[in-house]
Amino acid sequence: MTLRSFEDIYLQAGDDLAAVPWAELRPRPALVEWLDSRPDRPGATALVIACGFGDDAEELARRGYAVRAFDVAPTAIARCRERFPDSPVDYRVADLFALPADWSGGHDLVVEIQTVQSLPRDVRRETITAVAATVGRGGELFVRASGRDDDEPTPHRPWPVSRADLAVLADAGLSEERFDDTRDARGGRWFHAAYRRA
Ligand SMILES: C[S@@+](CC[C@H](N)C(=O)[O-])C[C@H]1O[C@@H](n2cnc3c(N)ncnc32)[C@H](O)[C@@H]1O
């Protein structure tokens, strides 16, 4: 079976945005809960990795962050602009593996939700390293990922993330400040974690 590209999935959904399997069309509750647990930092810069339909980016903007959000799928970014025409968020089509040089290390807060698990295991280290590279000095990273044990197989997309996978973040200079290993109502395992660059 050939994996459908992300752009194809967004295109085929058409105006039925809820047909995109991961779309919640609201900010992720785990992100909102984490943001609520700490003081907002109005004016701080935030980057939303692979932002999909933009709800998480809008939540950060609502809290006063100066937000940049990107996705490799042009249709996703077009939908963000349609849904939030007056948004202050800077929405861009961009590839995580070829980001503009001046985005490197340039953000006070980076949000990564369900992208790492969506990209094949053979580029996992590269993916996590690319996410980490966008976090500035003293900056934070929030991660939500489908979770698994280190020795658990990953037969199909999404390919859940293990704690050993996430250890790449420490190699990239980020310290873990919070790690929650949770179950959703359907028994799905989710890691919610926060990191900081010294
Ligand atoms: C499972 S979706 C999650 C989207 C969003 N973060 C959310 O939680 O709704 C994965 C996203 O990663 C995007 N993506 C995949 N490869 C990418 C890349 N190399 N650079 C940027 N975005 C990418 C896809 O287009 C898709 O929007």
Side-chain angles (χ1 to χ4, degrees):
M1 191 185 100
T2 311
L3 284 177
R4 278 198 297 161
S5 78
F6 291 100
E7 175 64 6
D8 285 348
I9 293 170
Y10 285 117
L11 272 177
Q12 286 174 18
D15 290 335
D16 182 10
L17 304 192
V20 170
W22 52 84
E24 285 198 13
L25 304 178
R26 61 172 180 161
R28 299 279 172 189
L31 174 64
V32 172
E33 184 264 328
W34 180 70
L35 290 169
D36 283 346
S37 73
R38 49 202 289 296
D40 285 332
R41 298 170 62 193
T45 56
L47 178 71
V48 180
I49 306 274
C51 62
F53 286 141
D55 297 274
D56 296 323
E58 293 299 317
E59 176 65 20
L60 292 170
R62 193 182 66 74
R63 291 169 183 262
Y65 290 87
V67 186
R68 175 184 280 156
F70 73 94
D71 200 288
V72 78
T75 298
I77 294 302
R79 293 296 187 206
C80 293
R81 292 178 178 144
E82 284 164 22
R83 294 181 70 210
F84 309 109
D86 301 322
S87 174
V89 175
D90 180 9
Y91 287 110
R92 306 271 192 99
V93 177
D95 181 348
L96 175 62
F97 302 113
L99 294 179
D102 62 343
W103 292 18
S104 183
H107 303 93
D108 300 315
L109 171 61
V110 175
V111 171
E112 154 39 25
I113 295 187
Q114 296 174 218
T115 312
V116 173
Q117 68 193 55
S118 301
L119 299 177
R121 289 280 307 282
D122 60 358
V123 292
R124 183 137 298 177
R125 171 170 282 273
E126 190 183 350
T127 305
I128 294 174
T129 300
V131 169
T134 63
V135 181
R137 287 179 67 176
E140 295 173 283
L141 168 67
F142 176 86
V143 174
R144 168 178 158 89
S146 176
R148 68 178 171 96
D149 289 334
D150 291 335
D151 58 357
E152 206 174 318
T154 53
H156 50 71
R157 189 167 85 184
W159 299 279
V161 173
S162 72
R163 292 214 66 163
D165 292 339
L166 291 170
V168 172
L169 290 169
D171 300 342
L174 297 177
S175 305
E176 186 180 288
E177 295 204 322
R178 176 170 168 177
F179 189 89
D180 297 326
D181 184 350
T182 71
R183 298 275 173 180
D184 66 19
R186 287 178 295 183
R189 187 177 183 188
W190 291 96
F191 293 162
H192 298 142
Y195 302 83
R196 186 183 292 277
R197 187 183 295 288

